[in-house]
Amino acid sequence: ISYATGAYWLYVAFTVPHPDTRAFYWIVQDVFGLCMCVLFLDTIKLNAVKVGAVLLIVAFFYDIFFVFVTPLLTKHGESIMVNVATSGGPPKADPSWCEKYPTTEECKGGDPLPMLFAVPRIGDYQGGMSMLGLGDIVLPGLLLSFASRFDEAKRLMGLVSGGSGRASGSGGCSPSPKTSGPSCLLCCCLPPGYFGPVMIAYAIGLFMANAAVYLMQMGQPALLYLVPCCLGTMTWMAWRAGEMKDLWESPRVIRAADAL
């Protein structure tokens, strides 16, 4: 079944104009992308926040350059990142014209690369797809997986040492007399540790990126919003808990858990 599904997906991709308009095509493409992200995060693991910080900051400026700076350097003011992701960019003709004559050359546009998540825009009479590159998932995902490993390593070492296994105090997300207001509410709603708050920060960054697309009516570098949210949340929590130095270099608790 898997081989037959993949073969039919390739057939649709190469024979049908704008295959991304078909539910089968973009659903299977998203499943392929999900599998690639899971495989990547299962294979590549960070051993320190320092490595993740350097990687995310470099990708942060890379994304900004190719989305916002390259239009100033190209002849027609086109974003290289958007053109590559859409194989030539969106249709150049007026949407009302393309609605009447969708087969004209100016209305064809490009098809999204299969190396991204694509979801149709619901309720948009002009159609189109909302796209998210796999790099916008796996790069912050490295930090998220590191946070999850650190939380689980602390829980495991707590069990080994005869404790309850709860990562109390981890990341400053445990209720205490010093926490109040929104910070206390966050601690009460989430399990102690880094993973939950950083996951929420990722969701907030993704929401900001999508809001910017609709407000500015142009493609946005998602890492412009995801990197400050995720990396900023992780470093602030580590500094607040007094664990920044340990996390920055290489957490001893992860090394001890790996040795078990």
Side-chain angles (χ1 to χ4, degrees), residues 199-226:
M199 176 65 78
I200 291 178
Y202 180 87
I204 293 172
L206 200 57
F207 172 79
M208 292 170 61
N210 279 280
V213 169
Y214 282 97
L215 293 175
M216 301 177 66
Q217 292 298 306
M218 62 177 294
Q220 296 290 312
L223 293 179
L224 172 63
Y225 308 92
L226 296 175

Short mmCIF file of all heavy atoms in Angstrom, two decimals, residues 199-226:
data_model
loop_
_atom_site.label_atom_id
_atom_site.label_comp_id
_atom_site.label_asym_id
_atom_site.label_seq_id
_atom_site.Cartn_x
_atom_site.Cartn_y
_atom_site.Cartn_z
N MET A 199 7.40 24.72 23.99
CA MET A 199 6.40 24.33 22.99
C MET A 199 5.35 25.42 22.81
O MET A 199 4.95 25.75 21.68
CB MET A 199 5.74 23.02 23.41
CG MET A 199 4.61 22.58 22.48
SD MET A 199 5.18 22.17 20.82
CE MET A 199 5.86 20.54 21.11
N ILE A 200 4.90 26.01 23.91
CA ILE A 200 3.95 27.12 23.82
C ILE A 200 4.58 28.30 23.12
O ILE A 200 3.95 29.00 22.31
CB ILE A 200 3.45 27.50 25.23
CG1 ILE A 200 2.56 26.39 25.78
CG2 ILE A 200 2.69 28.82 25.20
CD1 ILE A 200 2.05 26.64 27.17
N ALA A 201 5.85 28.58 23.41
CA ALA A 201 6.56 29.67 22.75
C ALA A 201 6.63 29.43 21.24
O ALA A 201 6.50 30.37 20.44
CB ALA A 201 7.96 29.82 23.33
N TYR A 202 6.84 28.17 20.83
CA TYR A 202 6.86 27.84 19.40
C TYR A 202 5.50 28.14 18.76
O TYR A 202 5.42 28.71 17.66
CB TYR A 202 7.23 26.38 19.20
CG TYR A 202 7.27 25.96 17.74
CD1 TYR A 202 8.44 26.12 17.00
CD2 TYR A 202 6.15 25.42 17.11
CE1 TYR A 202 8.49 25.75 15.66
CE2 TYR A 202 6.19 25.06 15.77
CZ TYR A 202 7.36 25.22 15.05
OH TYR A 202 7.39 24.87 13.73
N ALA A 203 4.42 27.75 19.44
CA ALA A 203 3.08 27.99 18.92
C ALA A 203 2.81 29.50 18.79
O ALA A 203 2.21 29.95 17.81
CB ALA A 203 2.03 27.33 19.83
N ILE A 204 3.26 30.27 19.78
CA ILE A 204 3.09 31.72 19.72
C ILE A 204 3.87 32.31 18.55
O ILE A 204 3.38 33.17 17.81
CB ILE A 204 3.51 32.37 21.05
CG1 ILE A 204 2.55 31.96 22.17
CG2 ILE A 204 3.57 33.89 20.93
CD1 ILE A 204 3.00 32.40 23.54
N GLY A 205 5.11 31.86 18.37
CA GLY A 205 5.91 32.35 17.25
C GLY A 205 5.29 32.01 15.91
O GLY A 205 5.30 32.82 14.97
N LEU A 206 4.72 30.79 15.79
CA LEU A 206 4.08 30.39 14.55
C LEU A 206 2.83 31.23 14.29
O LEU A 206 2.54 31.61 13.14
CB LEU A 206 3.72 28.91 14.62
CG LEU A 206 3.47 28.19 13.30
CD1 LEU A 206 4.68 28.29 12.38
CD2 LEU A 206 3.13 26.73 13.56
N PHE A 207 2.09 31.54 15.34
CA PHE A 207 0.93 32.41 15.19
C PHE A 207 1.34 33.80 14.74
O PHE A 207 0.70 34.40 13.86
CB PHE A 207 0.18 32.49 16.53
CG PHE A 207 -0.93 33.52 16.53
CD1 PHE A 207 -2.15 33.24 15.94
CD2 PHE A 207 -0.72 34.77 17.11
CE1 PHE A 207 -3.17 34.20 15.93
CE2 PHE A 207 -1.72 35.73 17.09
CZ PHE A 207 -2.95 35.44 16.50
N MET A 208 2.41 34.31 15.31
CA MET A 208 2.90 35.64 14.90
C MET A 208 3.33 35.65 13.44
O MET A 208 3.07 36.62 12.71
CB MET A 208 4.07 36.04 15.81
CG MET A 208 3.69 36.31 17.25
SD MET A 208 5.12 36.49 18.33
CE MET A 208 5.93 37.91 17.61
N ALA A 209 3.98 34.57 12.99
CA ALA A 209 4.41 34.49 11.60
C ALA A 209 3.21 34.49 10.65
O ALA A 209 3.21 35.18 9.62
CB ALA A 209 5.27 33.24 11.39
N ASN A 210 2.18 33.72 10.99
CA ASN A 210 0.99 33.67 10.15
C ASN A 210 0.24 35.00 10.17
O ASN A 210 -0.27 35.45 9.13
CB ASN A 210 0.05 32.55 10.62
CG ASN A 210 0.47 31.18 10.11
OD1 ASN A 210 0.20 30.83 8.97
ND2 ASN A 210 1.14 30.42 10.95
N ALA A 211 0.19 35.65 11.33
CA ALA A 211 -0.46 36.96 11.40
C ALA A 211 0.29 37.98 10.55
O ALA A 211 -0.32 38.82 9.87
CB ALA A 211 -0.52 37.43 12.86
N ALA A 212 1.63 37.90 10.54
CA ALA A 212 2.42 38.83 9.73
C ALA A 212 2.18 38.61 8.25
O ALA A 212 2.18 39.57 7.46
CB ALA A 212 3.91 38.66 10.06
N VAL A 213 1.98 37.35 7.83
CA VAL A 213 1.70 37.06 6.42
C VAL A 213 0.41 37.75 5.98
O VAL A 213 0.34 38.38 4.92
CB VAL A 213 1.60 35.54 6.19
CG1 VAL A 213 1.06 35.24 4.79
CG2 VAL A 213 2.97 34.90 6.36
N TYR A 214 -0.62 37.66 6.81
CA TYR A 214 -1.91 38.26 6.46
C TYR A 214 -1.87 39.78 6.54
O TYR A 214 -2.48 40.48 5.74
CB TYR A 214 -3.01 37.71 7.36
CG TYR A 214 -3.47 36.32 6.96
CD1 TYR A 214 -2.97 35.20 7.60
CD2 TYR A 214 -4.39 36.15 5.93
CE1 TYR A 214 -3.38 33.92 7.22
CE2 TYR A 214 -4.81 34.89 5.54
CZ TYR A 214 -4.30 33.78 6.20
OH TYR A 214 -4.70 32.52 5.82
N LEU A 215 -1.14 40.32 7.52
CA LEU A 215 -1.08 41.77 7.68
C LEU A 215 -0.22 42.44 6.62
O LEU A 215 -0.55 43.52 6.12
CB LEU A 215 -0.55 42.12 9.08
CG LEU A 215 -1.46 41.76 10.26
CD1 LEU A 215 -0.76 42.05 11.58
CD2 LEU A 215 -2.78 42.54 10.17
N MET A 216 0.91 41.81 6.26
CA MET A 216 1.84 42.40 5.31
C MET A 216 1.63 41.90 3.88
O MET A 216 2.23 42.43 2.95
CB MET A 216 3.28 42.10 5.75
CG MET A 216 3.62 42.64 7.12
SD MET A 216 5.29 42.20 7.69
CE MET A 216 6.28 43.12 6.51
N GLN A 217 0.78 40.87 3.71
CA GLN A 217 0.46 40.34 2.39
C GLN A 217 1.72 39.92 1.62
O GLN A 217 1.86 40.19 0.42
CB GLN A 217 -0.34 41.37 1.58
CG GLN A 217 -1.73 41.63 2.12
CD GLN A 217 -2.62 40.38 2.09
OE1 GLN A 217 -2.77 39.74 1.05
NE2 GLN A 217 -3.17 40.02 3.23
N MET A 218 2.63 39.27 2.31
CA MET A 218 3.84 38.77 1.67
C MET A 218 4.41 37.63 2.53
O MET A 218 4.10 37.52 3.72
CB MET A 218 4.90 39.87 1.53
CG MET A 218 5.38 40.46 2.84
SD MET A 218 6.68 41.69 2.66
CE MET A 218 8.02 40.69 2.02
N GLY A 219 5.22 36.76 1.89
CA GLY A 219 5.82 35.67 2.61
C GLY A 219 6.73 36.16 3.73
O GLY A 219 7.40 37.19 3.59
N GLN A 220 6.75 35.44 4.82
CA GLN A 220 7.54 35.82 5.99
C GLN A 220 8.54 34.72 6.33
O GLN A 220 8.25 33.53 6.17
CB GLN A 220 6.63 36.05 7.19
CG GLN A 220 5.67 37.20 7.04
CD GLN A 220 6.36 38.54 7.06
OE1 GLN A 220 7.17 38.81 7.94
NE2 GLN A 220 6.03 39.39 6.09
N PRO A 221 9.73 35.12 6.81
CA PRO A 221 10.68 34.11 7.33
C PRO A 221 10.21 33.66 8.72
O PRO A 221 10.28 34.41 9.68
CB PRO A 221 12.00 34.89 7.40
CG PRO A 221 11.60 36.33 7.55
CD PRO A 221 10.29 36.49 6.85
N ALA A 222 9.72 32.45 8.80
CA ALA A 222 9.13 31.97 10.06
C ALA A 222 10.14 32.00 11.20
O ALA A 222 9.77 32.27 12.35
CB ALA A 222 8.58 30.56 9.87
N LEU A 223 11.42 31.76 10.89
CA LEU A 223 12.43 31.76 11.97
C LEU A 223 12.63 33.14 12.57
O LEU A 223 13.16 33.25 13.69
CB LEU A 223 13.76 31.22 11.42
CG LEU A 223 13.76 29.74 11.02
CD1 LEU A 223 15.13 29.33 10.48
CD2 LEU A 223 13.37 28.86 12.20
N LEU A 224 12.21 34.18 11.88
CA LEU A 224 12.27 35.53 12.45
C LEU A 224 11.45 35.61 13.73
O LEU A 224 11.78 36.37 14.64
CB LEU A 224 11.76 36.54 11.41
CG LEU A 224 11.56 37.99 11.87
CD1 LEU A 224 12.89 38.61 12.30
CD2 LEU A 224 10.92 38.81 10.77
N TYR A 225 10.39 34.83 13.80
CA TYR A 225 9.51 34.83 14.97
C TYR A 225 9.76 33.63 15.88
O TYR A 225 9.64 33.74 17.09
CB TYR A 225 8.04 34.84 14.51
CG TYR A 225 7.75 35.93 13.51
CD1 TYR A 225 7.85 35.69 12.14
CD2 TYR A 225 7.39 37.21 13.93
CE1 TYR A 225 7.59 36.70 11.23
CE2 TYR A 225 7.14 38.22 13.01
CZ TYR A 225 7.24 37.96 11.67
OH TYR A 225 7.00 38.95 10.76
N LEU A 226 10.12 32.50 15.28
CA LEU A 226 10.28 31.27 16.07
C LEU A 226 11.54 31.28 16.91
O LEU A 226 11.53 30.82 18.06
CB LEU A 226 10.29 30.05 15.14
CG LEU A 226 9.00 29.79 14.37
CD1 LEU A 226 9.19 28.62 13.40
CD2 LEU A 226 7.85 29.49 15.32
#
